[in-house]
Amino acid sequence: MFIKSKVAILLCATLLFLFAAQSWLAVQTKGPTADEPLHAASAYLCTFDGEYRVDAEDPPLWKYWGMLVHQPADIHIERQGTYWDWAIDDPRNQSRWSGAVFFRMPGNDGGAFIGRSRFMFLIASVALGASISLWSWRLGGGLAAIIATALYTFDPNFLGHAPLFKNDVCIALAFVLCMIAIYFCGRRMTWANVVYPGVALGAAMTIKFSGVLLIPMIGIALLARAMLPDSWECFHHKIAGRGQKLFVSIGLMVMTLAMAWLIIWGMYRFRFAPAADGSRLDIAKTLDLVAANRFYLHEHRRPVGSEADGWQWNITTKLAVGAERMRLLPQAWIGGFLFTYQSTLVRPAFLLGRIYDTGCWYYFPLAFLFKTPLATLGAIFLAITCSIVLAIKRTSIQFANAWPAVCVFIPILVYGGSVISSNLNLGMRHLFPIMPFVFIIVGNMLANAQAIWPRAVLAMLYLLALGLVVETCAAFPDFISFFNIACGNAQSRMRLLGDSNLDWGQDIPALTVWQSAHPDVPLYVLCFGPAVKEFYGVHSIQSLDRPCMVALSATMLQGLYLPPGDQDLFAPLRQRTPTNLLDGTIYLYRYPEDFPNMRLPGRIKEIQQQFGVDQR
């Protein structure tokens, strides 16, 4: 189907406007998620104080972006005293500390502070959509751009996460921009575009530590470019020999790494120490965590005494410690990388009704199947089927040449292999860096197939588009907790996945609405997330000493982050129908009627301490 350029541009622009409108309206109904207060506090300290010890596992570039709408006086953060020392001493304490800063400190309006920054991340998400549109257009024309943009626009996962004070969408944007830069260098290298891959790589590595995976992606892509038979135009000279092209590829790789190295230093103000006063992170404590988690992987139990000594010294930790000793990179970047590394070794994950400490290889494939709209899955299936038929008939190819295919398929293979082999199984959001490439490939393949079978493919595209719009709009505004309709009702979905796939603490405001409609009903709240209930006007009783309504969020019911002995504490409730269900994540039960023979009152205090819950 031939589409005029102006029409395609208008359609893509309209789709991106719809994306922004849906996402922004939806997030207005949601409270801060579990991670946002810590990120926001860290962003404030990075931007206005040059303090990088808080939330070091998330580099600062995207935090600077979120702070562009703020001034130093917008929030008050104490940088001394017991709670500050407590947070600096152990990164695992920082989430509870940041929750207190934003929601318990007099004069601070944490919700409004985070809300203003969310607009900046919505802008970044629209930029990601525009990048998908432009690259799809470059590879497959107007129809490919419209298909890819539509898949992004009506993807509930991106809609839910786009405006959050998080780096998941930002790192996806960095991945796409980096591979676009490599693509253009591989077509024709000039003095103007040769610096772009290094800038994009440096940006990715200062947004999220998964940006490190771009290094092998770039290396493999450039190696493939050197091996391809077609000539390569470099600085107005065409080179055809593989040896020459390999030499140029190595040179570009070295330059890219050097540029990224400079950008990393620049993002930390060319300062080795994480704090302006010269204070440093205690890397030894992080190495102890690495050792304990590596011991657990091999022995399936926590170490006792000095059992874990020596387990931290694998190639990853040796390189990191060596880089710190030689001051090759800022200490905050190295410390954050190590802390992220230890968290990828052992981390609780919920899948199909079970809690795993070390994840499963099939976690992300299933998460993709559960949380992707059926129409998108149908489009992927249709694209693959058409491509196989075309390949068998040899009537067409999917790309003009092999180089574009290299640039869009390598990120999927490298990053996909990494997440499948990782023990960090937290959510569909960790697939964001490769989802744009999936949309681009599907758009290109379907546009190619439509040129061969115009009426049949176009009819199926209209049908899939209708299904996609209906399924996504029906989920509004609960995009974070979206599961496709094949996954059943809310209680069925709770048995499939947890954490940021479902209940990330975002639905506390729904309790405000419920309580305003039931002002005389005593309410006890035990929900996942950082937002103090009273901040949103939710007034809860202090203990289960009388008949009341108990609000439990899905993460609590699953037992995902409860102490090991309490993970099945709420198991009997999972089989009961709640009195009410708010936004698909907060379950209301009557106490004591729905709690027969349960030891909840005796364990509630320890659970509160585990989650930092304040019932005042």
Side-chain angles (χ1 to χ4, degrees), residues 6 31 39 106 133 161 196 273 279 300 368 408 445 452 475 513 519 591:
K6 291 183 179 179
H39 296 328
S133 299
H161 290 263
Y196 295 152
S279 299
H300 305 292
F368 178 80
V408 295
M445 288 181 171
I452 307 298
V513 177
Y591 181 83

Side-chain angles (χ1 to χ4, degrees), residues 388-396 453:
I388 291 173
V389 173
L390 290 175
I392 293 173
K393 291 185 175 183
R394 298 182 179 179
T395 56
S396 179
W453 304 296

Side-chain angles (χ1 to χ4, degrees), residues 73-92:
D74 287 350
I75 204 96
H76 176 67
I77 297 180
E78 290 285 353
R79 301 165 188 81
Q80 58 184 356
T82 302
Y83 288 104
W84 171 257
D85 295 338
W86 179 61
I88 293 298
D89 181 65
D90 189 341
R92 293 171 294 181

